[in-house]
Amino acid sequence: MAFTFAAFCYMLALLLTAALIFFAIWHIIAFDELKTDYKNPIDQCNTLNPLVLPEYLIHAFFCVMFLCASEWLTLGLNMPLLGYHIWSSPQIFLGVLIVSVSRYMTRPVMSVPGLYDPTTIMNADILAYCQKEGWCKLAFYLLSFFYYLYGMIYVLVSS
Amino acid sequence: MQQPLSSGHGASLPNSSTAPGRHQQVPSKAPLRSTAGHCDFITYQNSYQVPVQNIIRPVCPTSLDNTQGSGQTYSTLSMDSSLIAPRGPNMITATPVQSFVDTSQQASYITEHYPSQVPYIVPSQSTTQVLSTHSASINHAYPGFSYQPTSVFNTQHNAPLNLQNLHFATSQPLFNAMSCQTKILPKSEQEHPPASFQPYHAGNTGTSWQPLARTSVKKPAGFTTKPVALSSTARSDMSAGFPFSMPHQIKPSYSPSMTNVAKPPVSVAPLAQWLPPSTERLTSATASPASASKACSVDLFLIIKLIQHQVPCHQLQMMRMKQPSSKVNHLSSSMKGLFFQNKQQAEARKQINLLQERNILPPVPIQCPQSNLSPELRNLNCSPDLFRCTLMNVPQTQALLNKVKLPFGLLLHPFRDLTHLPVITSSTIVRCQSCRTYINPFVSFFDQRRWKCNLCYRVNDVPEEFMYNPLTHSYGEPHKRPEVQTATVEFIASSDYMLRPPQPAVYLFVFDVSHNAMESGYLNICCQSLLENVDKLPGDSRTKIGFITFDNTLHFFNLQEGLSQPQMLIVSEIEDIFIPTPDSLMVNLHESKELVKDLLKMLPAMFTGTRETNSALGPALQAAFKLMSTTGGRISVFQTQRPSIGVGQLFSREDPKQQSTIKGLQHLGPATDFYKKFALDCSSQQVAVDLFLLSGQYCDLASLACMSKYSAGSVFYYPSFHHIHNPTQVEKFQKDLKRYLIRKIGFEAVLRIRCTKGLSIHTFHGNFFVRSTDLLSLANINPDSGFAVQISIEESLSESSVVCFQAALLYTSSKGERRIRVHTLSLPVVNSVAAVYTGADVQAITCLLATMAVDRSISSSLSDARDALVNAVVDSLSAYRSTISNLQKSVLVAPNSLRLFALYILALLKQEAFGTGLSIRLDERVFSMCEMKTRPFVHLILMIHPHLYRIDHLSDEGSITVGDKTIPQPPIIQLSAENLSQDGAFLMDCFSVMYLWIGKNCTNSFSNEVLGFSNWDSVPQNLDRLPELNTLLSRRVTSFVSWLQDSRPFLSILRVVKDDAPFKANFFQRFVEDRAEFALSYYEFLLHIQQHISK
């Protein structure tokens, strides 16, 4: 039983995932509020857009950590979400290389980072999509939270 | 008692006696006055006094025009009774039919000799039409049945009325089924002549009425007086609920599944027994037979069960509460509606073979199809010009909707100028407690004290105040209040509906004064127009006005009262805008009127000869926003070039190479989000931005238009505007500007659309900011903006038989009043594919698809949008095809309601917005897209598919009368150049422009009598307006053209097209059925569709 780098990665991921769970809950609440008419879409987008990049960065950060720690299985489990984030990221985050495949093509023209445009967000399709996205992410983060917990203990015990 | 309620109605009460006439004269489809900026509510308040069920809306959609004078009176009557006719043959088999005799009597009005003998009855054309179709349908259904008897009746009926008793003797042998019931006939017939004609006669002389709209058939006042006369005698004989339940019971027998022939005998019998008395009641104004009613109502309820038609219980309940005096009126109108419904349904069931049927365009404008709703609810519905649905019969489930493959949505024109509108002042506005729906004609009253919301089905209490009816001064009749009688009402809202005190009217004008702008000379025209109309700007004593001009610097104008002349303040710092003297730039119009006028006179001269070519539009907008943000209001921006410095700077994105291929066409979306963010800021401060773009070269309208798009403004575009070189654009600009300045305006508005539980709003189209799932934030609302809404069905609608939509527009009028305009639309729910197709409104579908295609071309690509449009036709026609069995593969069928679908979509594909032509500039394309999104559908459909008329031999045949003018109604010709002939003159009405095409061999008399030129060669190319000459043809042509002009808010430009005219290309481009550059002809398009379907 020794405190390895992998164990450290898992512990960090555990903490960061807890933060991401809060982000996801915030996201779900925000879209629910939009749907039930409590909030103005402009305000809502102003609060949601700044959270998009931090979330992506946090997730990308511990993916890189797992890469360094050679935790291939964990990295593999996280790849789909990383791919989705990259695919749906704004250009600012990505550079010009992946522009042709990114959601930037359909992303509204915006001068600030973020995904949500107050003029289109109330469209029923987009609203439903965002809500679904929020629930899926919440589920993913919750599951991965427990997986990291298990992974941490496993690494600690086995080494 | 009256005190708390009647501040709105009280004043006008003494006038109530004059009111009934007014109602008759103002049909809901009355043409708009072109200057209809000020619509008078005051006059309407008089007409408020009439019991509202007497407002007769046009029921029949068909071409029943040409009704004149007293002829109309009678035609209404004869239609009423003749509508029973189609039922006659059916009943012969089951029970002896008395009604058939009556029917044939009525049928005999076809004869031309009749009027000569009964002088006050003039059969109109409509009668003839109705009856001829009816007899045709009978013959069709009963090939073996001889319809000879009619002629027998004819000859007899030409005799004076007192001979009527005789003809039963002769007629009896012909109808062998007629046995026992004929015995009682003579009795009723004897009563017939004196009683029946009296009321009509009185009615005719008593009122004058003018049909205004082309196809509306109105019942004259004479008819509405009849039920009143009747009620005194007939009322006691009728059981409470029975006449009203009637429409529901009759309807099922005409439902599509049961055609004329197939009918269970059980259900026929009671109907047949029941019908004769009703006929008597209609044709003869005697007391109704005492025995009939109770037994019948039992029978009728039996029929309900037999036919299993779902009569919504709340409807029945509501109807029961109505007063007996209106019963006969309702009865007759519903029966009339029923007849047309029957006729229409037969029509609608028809399949059209598109490839074979060449002439599918009807000669009169197409009307909105009728829903399956009971006629009296339908009559209560909102006018289709204000509010219409693409599917008049709403499919029950999303699955059914998917099967039909038609878009489901609403088209709205909520702030349209109306000639009359009930305005209600009341301290409490009755709304549903849970969903906040406004009380409307489609709610049901349980008893005096409770009503059930028709959107969420909650049962609410009726407030005490609502019990009093200011119309009749009676208490305890909540169902007769005006809110419950008309589907379009306006409330004067209390302070509960204000977040802040109502704002004053505030106008800010932002002028581009760079070199380019001065060169085009627009400022002179604009200031001139403002000077003329500055007194007519809508507003009250608080109205504020301000001006900003800009080139590469900003110029503010201090117009503070007390100054001897306007003061110009120049701000050259455009990076960080500040307002020099914040208090004195927006001034009260009335206090500083002289200064404002001085400024408008000086302004054009001030900047002549300027060398500055840059345009700092972005900073100017920011400054304008700072000036307006405290109050809200309207910013009018006049721009002539691409903004080149400061924030919001734009670059040329137009690439001629890209334009050549439809696939490569890009830049339909904005280049920067500055204008969008600016618009959202404006919207949140209740400021709307209207853009006038007058420009020769590319300006990137796609980016600029965003400032209006999200702030609920409007966009006007005048390509290659120049005050000397382009007089037609100048004229259009002048006319548009005049209308723009004086039209009605509502400030700080919100529009909420509520729908019945189970439906939800999917997407909105138009200029606004969507604040919530069903709420649009409109900084300004103007009468020329329309909206479209896509609806999705979330839950099955099986629990109700009708759905309702309610659009409520809350706004501050220019007089500082907070008002709510409420429109309610009620539609039936159906569960068969055929019924959905029957109710498809092809015009509304086209308009909705156009807005959807605009979205698609911006979010995806233009070729994608074009494909989607074609697929819409292919999908719906193949879905329809799959509902019909045993069809040959090569046949392309369409339901009658969608027979024009392919044509309209082809027309849409040839529009500037979606066209493939090389010559379409990017800005023009974008502007055309903006128009599609914001134009009210009545205008949009005319832009998509113009009307073509031949006007060189106009006659009074089929004409209508408006005021004291006779308006000829030439038939609409199909848009194919083969219909043009060199010896005629044709008028093409494309909404914003009218082309007058004069053939080479057109008789000199036309140019002489109408245009005032001796022959064809001397007719000039730029003839602005038709001269008023003192010839018959000139009078007809000018009255027709001005009638067309009156029906639209913005005056159309008239352009004369001769063979060598510059507009020739534009003119021939509009012939959508013909083959054009890169575009298919109609026939080719059909073949293309057929290919897709058979794949």
Side-chain angles (χ1 to χ4, degrees):
Chain A
M1 177 143 177
F3 191 77
T4 59
F5 180 64
F8 171 73
C9 282
Y10 276 116
M11 281 172 76
L12 199 65
L14 205 60
L15 289 175
L16 291 176
T17 309
L20 288 182
I21 288 171
F22 280 112
F23 275 30
I25 292 173
W26 176 256
H27 180 100
I28 290 167
I29 292 175
F31 278 96
D32 195 59
E33 275 178 341
L34 264 185
K35 204 166 194 177
T36 50
D37 202 357
Y38 282 115
K39 277 267 178 79
N40 187 333
I42 299 179
D43 302 341
Q44 207 65 292
C45 288
N46 287 344
T47 56
L48 283 173
N49 275 333
L51 292 182
V52 174
L53 277 190
E55 185 193 332
Y56 291 5
L57 286 175
I58 289 173
H59 186 251
F61 171 69
F62 61 71
C63 283
V64 172
M65 297 276 281
F66 286 128
L67 183 70
C68 300
S70 314
E71 289 292 325
W72 304 117
L73 178 67
T74 316
L75 187 65
L77 288 175
N78 272 303
M79 280 320 279
L81 185 65
L82 190 72
Y84 173 78
H85 279 168
I86 290 173
W87 172 70
S88 65
S89 297
Q91 191 187 25
I92 287 168
F93 179 57
L94 277 170
V96 203
L97 276 177
I98 327 174
V99 164
S100 53
V101 291
S102 78
R103 211 167 97 186
Y104 177 73
M105 293 303 277
T106 52
R107 169 186 175 257
V109 180
M110 283 172 16
S111 54
V112 290
L115 281 175
Y116 309 108
D117 175 21
T119 57
T120 55
I121 199 162
M122 294 310 294
N123 181 303
D125 285 340
I126 295 180
L127 209 56
Y129 177 82
C130 290
Q131 265 186 322
K132 216 178 281 169
E133 186 195 19
W135 283 110
C136 290
K137 275 191 178 174
L138 180 65
F140 180 82
Y141 290 141
L142 273 175
L143 287 177
S144 52
F145 180 82
F146 291 109
Y147 173 75
Y148 298 148
L149 194 64
Y150 163 80
M152 183 184 76
I153 295 166
Y154 181 80
V155 170
L156 283 176
V157 169
S158 62
S159 57
Chain B
M1 207 47 235
Q2 196 184 321
Q3 283 303 330
L5 292 169
S6 58
S7 49
H9 321 294
S12 51
L13 283 179
N15 292 336
S16 62
S17 60
T18 62
R22 180 177 297 280
H23 262 300
Q24 306 301 331
Q25 292 172 20
V26 193
S28 51
K29 206 176 173 274
L32 291 173
R33 251 171 279 134
S34 59
T35 52
H38 314 285
C39 109
D40 50 348
F41 301 117
I42 304 116
T43 45
Y44 189 71
Q45 293 195 346
N46 296 345
S47 37
Y48 227 19
Q49 312 305 321
V50 202
V52 190
Q53 65 266 40
N54 285 346
I55 305 173
I56 311 298
R57 289 183 187 74
V59 180
C60 50
T62 42
S63 57
L64 294 168
D65 42 11
N66 187 31
T67 46
Q68 289 179 341
S70 57
Q72 170 105 36
T73 313
Y74 211 79
S75 73
T76 317
L77 170 73
S78 54
M79 275 186 287
D80 284 337
S81 36
S82 63
L83 64 88
I84 299 156
R87 160 182 314 269
N90 289 336
M91 284 176 282
I92 285 173
T93 56
T95 331
V97 184
Q98 181 184 2
S99 70
F100 197 77
V101 176
D102 289 343
T103 308
S104 357
Q105 278 173 16
Q106 298 303 333
S108 67
Y109 287 123
I110 308 169
T111 61
E112 291 134 49
H113 334 281
Y114 196 77
S116 62
Q117 293 177 19
V118 187
Y120 49 84
I121 300 166
V122 187
S124 66
Q125 195 188 358
S126 59
T127 325
T128 325
Q129 269 184 344
V130 167
L131 290 167
S132 55
T133 46
H134 138 223
S135 59
S137 73
I138 289 179
N139 281 335
H140 177 70
Y142 289 85
F145 182 79
S146 152
Y147 203 60
Q148 207 51 43
T150 322
S151 67
V152 176
F153 281 99
N154 275 350
T155 50
Q156 287 178 345
H157 211 56
N158 292 334
L161 282 169
N162 51 14
L163 288 182
Q164 277 184 351
N165 287 342
L166 270 177
H167 73 239
F168 293 105
T170 51
S171 66
Q172 247 170 339
L174 292 166
F175 301 101
N176 46 10
M178 202 178 291
S179 56
C180 58
Q181 292 223 357
T182 41
K183 283 171 199 161
I184 58 162
L185 262 175
K187 194 174 107 207
S188 68
E189 286 302 324
Q190 273 163 359
E191 291 165 359
H192 185 190
S196 72
F197 296 113
Q198 210 60 44
Y200 297 95
H201 198 196
N204 287 340
T205 50
T207 51
S208 69
W209 52 279
Q210 303 108 5
L212 290 177
R214 184 194 281 254
T215 47
S216 63
V217 169
K218 290 176 282 339
K219 291 187 203 169
F223 191 73
T224 54
T225 57
K226 180 187 157 205
V228 182
L230 246 180
S231 62
S232 58
T233 53
R235 186 182 303 183
S236 58
D237 297 325
M238 298 181 199
S239 69
F242 137 63
F244 292 109
S245 46
M246 191 202 85
H248 298 276
Q249 279 116 24
I250 290 190
K251 208 177 80 180
S253 65
Y254 279 13
S255 68
S257 58
M258 298 182 198
T259 49
N260 286 338
V261 193
K263 223 187 259 184
V266 203
S267 68
V268 173
L271 265 178
Q273 278 173 9
W274 173 78
L275 272 161
S278 84
T279 331
E280 271 171 32
R281 239 176 288 142
L282 285 169
T283 52
S284 62
T286 54
S288 70
S291 60
S293 52
K294 267 188 187 169
C296 286
S297 62
V298 174
D299 283 345
L300 285 164
F301 278 107
L302 202 133
I303 301 171
I304 301 181
K305 283 185 184 162
L306 279 170
I307 302 181
Q308 292 189 329
H309 175 64
Q310 303 163 322
V311 180
C313 73
H314 61 271
Q315 280 176 25
L316 278 174
Q317 219 121 23
M318 186 183 83
M319 285 162 218
R320 265 194 210 137
M321 291 191 68
K322 287 187 176 160
Q323 263 213 345
S325 70
S326 61
K327 282 179 181 173
V328 178
N329 191 3
H330 274 286
L331 184 95
S332 57
S333 69
S334 62
M335 291 183 80
K336 193 169 86 179
L338 192 127
F339 174 74
F340 286 111
Q341 196 181 344
N342 178 44
K343 192 182 146 203
Q344 239 200 350
Q345 284 187 355
E347 187 100 312
R349 277 196 300 272
K350 224 163 62 181
Q351 298 161 11
I352 308 278
N353 187 343
L354 288 176
L355 285 167
Q356 275 173 13
E357 201 105 352
R358 184 80 179 84
N359 298 314
I360 48 167
L361 197 71
V364 290
I366 308 141
Q367 296 295 300
C368 172
Q370 300 259 317
S371 61
N372 276 354
L373 214 58
S374 74
E376 65 194 83
L377 280 181
R378 199 163 58 204
N379 289 353
L380 284 173
N381 244 340
C382 194
S383 153
D385 289 349
L386 296 170
F387 202 169
R388 70 161 74 172
C389 183
T390 56
L391 304 176
M392 296 304 279
N393 297 328
V394 177
Q396 202 172 50
T397 56
Q398 183 73 37
L400 183 59
L401 181 61
N402 293 342
K403 214 191 257 176
V404 178
K405 302 253 192 236
L406 289 172
F408 181 32
L410 302 170
L411 298 172
L412 266 131
H413 189 180
F415 204 56
R416 183 187 165 97
D417 289 320
L418 296 169
T419 40
H420 72 269
L421 173 72
V423 180
I424 293 159
T425 314
S426 162
S427 59
T428 53
I429 296 171
V430 182
R431 300 173 69 177
C432 173
Q433 294 283 323
S434 77
C435 68
R436 310 299 293 152
T437 300
Y438 295 85
I439 197 163
N440 59 65
F442 309 103
V443 303
S444 45
F445 286 94
F446 279 123
D447 46 48
Q448 298 278 326
R449 289 283 163 192
R450 287 179 305 154
W451 62 278
K452 186 175 166 193
C453 174
N454 52 342
L455 270 74
C456 67
Y457 310 121
R458 183 186 199 273
V459 178
N460 295 279
D461 290 334
V462 177
E464 186 62 25
E465 193 185 320
F466 203 72
M467 300 297 287
Y468 174 76
N469 187 350
L471 292 187
T472 53
H473 298 286
S474 53
Y475 185 81
E477 289 177 337
H479 54 281
K480 298 199 76 179
R481 293 265 303 194
E483 296 94 314
V484 193
Q485 296 285 2
T486 43
T488 298
V489 287
E490 187 154 279
F491 296 98
I492 305 222
S494 60
S495 54
D496 304 343
Y497 292 84
M498 303 169 193
L499 293 172
R500 59 176 186 178
Q503 67 162 83
V506 183
Y507 305 107
L508 177 63
F509 295 89
V510 180
F511 295 117
D512 178 5
V513 291
S514 61
H515 175 74
N516 193 24
M518 299 320 290
E519 193 68 0
S520 74
Y522 88 92
L523 193 58
N524 203 357
I525 298 161
C526 195
C527 289
Q528 202 60 42
S529 187
L530 259 171
L531 262 179
E532 283 164 19
N533 297 307
V534 75
D535 296 317
K536 296 184 205 149
L537 282 174
D540 54 5
S541 59
R542 303 179 299 158
T543 307
K544 283 172 142 186
I545 196 166
F547 298 90
I548 294 177
T549 58
F550 66 95
D551 38 28
N552 64 340
T553 54
L554 305 187
H555 321 132
F556 297 90
F557 295 89
N558 184 351
L559 301 165
Q560 193 64 35
E561 195 192 5
L563 288 174
S564 59
Q565 62 168 27
Q567 228 174 31
M568 184 159 101
L569 308 159
I570 300 176
V571 175
S572 53
E573 171 64 56
I574 55 166
E575 290 302 314
D576 187 20
I577 288 297
F578 68 96
I579 305 293
T581 51
D583 305 331
S584 53
L585 298 178
M586 298 302 295
V587 292
N588 188 304
L589 178 60
H590 296 274
E591 287 165 7
S592 308
K593 188 166 270 174
E594 285 314 307
L595 282 171
V596 170
K597 284 188 174 172
D598 283 349
L599 175 67
L600 288 172
K601 280 174 202 153
M602 286 154 55
L603 209 51
M606 252 187 216
F607 299 98
T608 40
T610 177
R611 296 276 176 84
E612 201 44 69
T613 52
N614 280 331
S615 161
L617 177 66
L621 289 176
Q622 283 177 329
F625 174 66
K626 281 190 181 170
L627 278 180
M628 300 286 280
S629 57
T630 49
T631 51
R634 182 174 82 187
I635 301 176
S636 314
V637 180
F638 295 81
Q639 174 73 6
T640 61
Q641 56 172 319
R642 210 166 48 236
S644 52
I645 49 170
V647 284
Q649 184 181 4
L650 295 172
F651 303 96
S652 177
R653 299 190 292 166
E654 196 180 37
D655 181 0
K657 272 186 223 148
Q658 271 187 351
Q659 261 181 291
S660 56
T661 56
I662 200 80
K663 282 226 163 66
L665 194 86
Q666 285 170 357
H667 308 309
L668 294 169
T672 160
D673 69 338
F674 169 77
Y675 294 99
K676 184 174 78 186
K677 282 200 324 208
F678 169 74
L680 292 182
D681 288 343
C682 284
S683 178
S684 63
Q685 298 299 323
Q686 310 294 352
V687 178
V689 189
D690 292 339
L691 173 67
F692 288 81
L693 189 61
L694 315 110
S695 147
Q697 73 281 58
Y698 174 71
C699 279
D700 200 352
L701 184 63
S703 304
L704 289 178
C706 285
M707 70 169 108
S708 304
K709 211 179 260 177
Y710 301 112
S711 66
S714 21
V715 180
F716 299 83
Y717 179 50
Y718 305 90
S720 23
F721 182 89
H722 194 275
H723 66 297
I724 297 166
H725 303 321
N726 199 343
T728 45
Q729 288 291 0
V730 171
E731 194 194 350
K732 185 164 162 46
F733 177 57
Q734 279 172 328
K735 285 174 169 171
D736 287 1
L737 192 61
K738 183 174 183 220
R739 159 80 182 167
Y740 172 76
L741 291 174
I742 64 176
R743 71 184 176 188
K744 265 189 78 169
I745 183 167
F747 297 98
E748 42 186 4
V750 287
L751 175 69
R752 194 183 285 274
I753 300 169
R754 297 183 172 87
C755 3
T756 300
K757 208 167 65 181
L759 297 175
S760 73
I761 292 171
H762 187 274
T763 317
F764 292 96
H765 300 278
N767 280 2
F768 46 70
F769 171 60
V770 190
R771 228 181 38 211
S772 161
T773 42
D774 59 349
L775 184 73
L776 301 181
S777 156
L778 305 159
N780 283 3
I781 178 80
N782 67 65
D784 304 320
S785 57
F787 302 92
V789 182
Q790 276 169 259
I791 307 274
S792 57
I793 304 170
E794 302 221 309
E795 301 161 30
S796 168
L797 302 168
S798 52
E799 59 181 289
S800 63
S801 64
V802 285
V803 289
C804 278
F805 302 96
Q806 188 172 67
L809 178 74
L810 172 66
Y811 68 98
T812 303
S813 77
S814 51
K815 303 267 182 273
E817 272 175 325
R818 205 78 174 130
R819 286 166 174 257
I820 310 161
R821 193 174 288 189
V822 181
H823 306 283
T824 317
L825 180 73
S826 171
L827 297 171
V829 177
V830 295
N831 54 14
S832 76
V833 178
V836 178
Y837 278 116
T838 309
D841 183 345
V842 67
Q843 293 190 319
I845 290 172
T846 310
C847 292
L848 187 64
L849 281 175
T851 57
M852 287 159 70
V854 171
D855 274 5
R856 177 68 75 89
S857 44
I858 291 171
S859 69
S860 176
S861 74
L862 192 62
S863 55
D864 227 22
R866 286 176 59 89
D867 289 347
L869 283 175
V870 177
N871 284 342
V873 187
V874 172
D875 287 348
S876 62
L877 290 189
S878 61
Y880 179 71
R881 197 191 160 86
S882 64
T883 63
I884 312 163
S885 53
N886 61 50
L887 260 184
Q888 285 174 357
K889 210 178 177 191
S890 61
V891 182
L892 181 64
V893 285
N896 192 34
S897 58
L898 291 179
R899 67 191 190 283
L900 295 174
F901 195 25
L903 180 62
Y904 279 148
I905 294 297
L906 180 66
L908 204 54
L909 291 174
K910 290 185 178 179
Q911 286 291 300
E912 279 184 342
F914 306 112
T916 47
L918 289 175
S919 54
I920 304 166
R921 311 272 304 269
L922 189 54
D923 273 352
E924 286 172 25
R925 192 185 288 276
V926 170
F927 177 65
S928 177
M929 289 185 173
C930 291
E931 295 263 278
M932 302 243 164
K933 292 276 270 186
T934 55
R935 280 272 173 220
F937 44 88
V938 185
H939 306 159
L940 185 57
I941 199 73
L942 198 56
M943 287 162 71
I944 293 171
H945 190 269
H947 287 166
L948 181 68
Y949 308 95
R950 181 170 184 156
I951 56 162
D952 63 324
H953 50 63
L954 286 179
S955 70
D956 277 342
E957 191 188 324
S959 63
I960 58 165
T961 309
V962 176
D964 53 348
K965 274 181 152 179
T966 309
I967 316 288
Q969 299 289 302
I972 296 169
I973 307 170
Q974 288 198 264
L975 287 172
S976 171
E978 70 180 10
N979 289 327
L980 293 179
S981 67
Q982 284 292 346
D983 56 353
F986 293 84
L987 184 79
M988 185 191 276
D989 178 12
C990 315
F991 183 70
S992 59
V993 52
M994 286 185 195
Y995 295 103
L996 177 60
W997 187 83
I998 307 167
K1000 213 168 221 163
N1001 304 333
C1002 186
T1003 47
N1004 283 345
S1005 68
F1006 180 78
S1007 40
N1008 203 356
E1009 285 178 25
V1010 178
L1011 304 172
F1013 296 95
S1014 57
N1015 55 29
W1016 184 80
D1017 292 318
S1018 58
V1019 177
Q1021 287 183 4
N1022 51 346
L1023 190 72
D1024 300 341
R1025 58 180 56 82
L1026 293 171
E1028 299 234 356
L1029 300 176
N1030 200 17
T1031 58
L1032 185 64
L1033 190 59
S1034 168
R1035 263 201 304 276
R1036 282 176 181 159
V1037 171
T1038 47
S1039 68
F1040 178 61
V1041 172
S1042 59
W1043 177 75
L1044 289 176
Q1045 294 271 19
D1046 285 347
S1047 68
R1048 61 204 60 185
F1050 295 100
L1051 287 181
S1052 321
I1053 301 173
L1054 190 72
R1055 284 173 178 173
V1056 174
V1057 182
K1058 297 201 297 181
D1059 273 354
D1060 50 346
F1063 312 119
K1064 197 182 154 196
N1066 299 13
F1067 175 67
F1068 281 102
Q1069 209 177 8
R1070 298 301 199 132
F1071 284 92
V1072 293
E1073 292 189 22
D1074 292 341
R1075 191 155 191 205
E1077 180 198 18
F1078 305 116
L1080 300 174
S1081 75
Y1082 178 56
Y1083 190 74
E1084 287 166 333
F1085 185 62
L1086 288 179
L1087 288 177
H1088 179 70
I1089 290 171
Q1090 194 198 7
Q1091 239 169 28
H1092 271 275
I1093 290 178
S1094 52
K1095 246 183 223 168

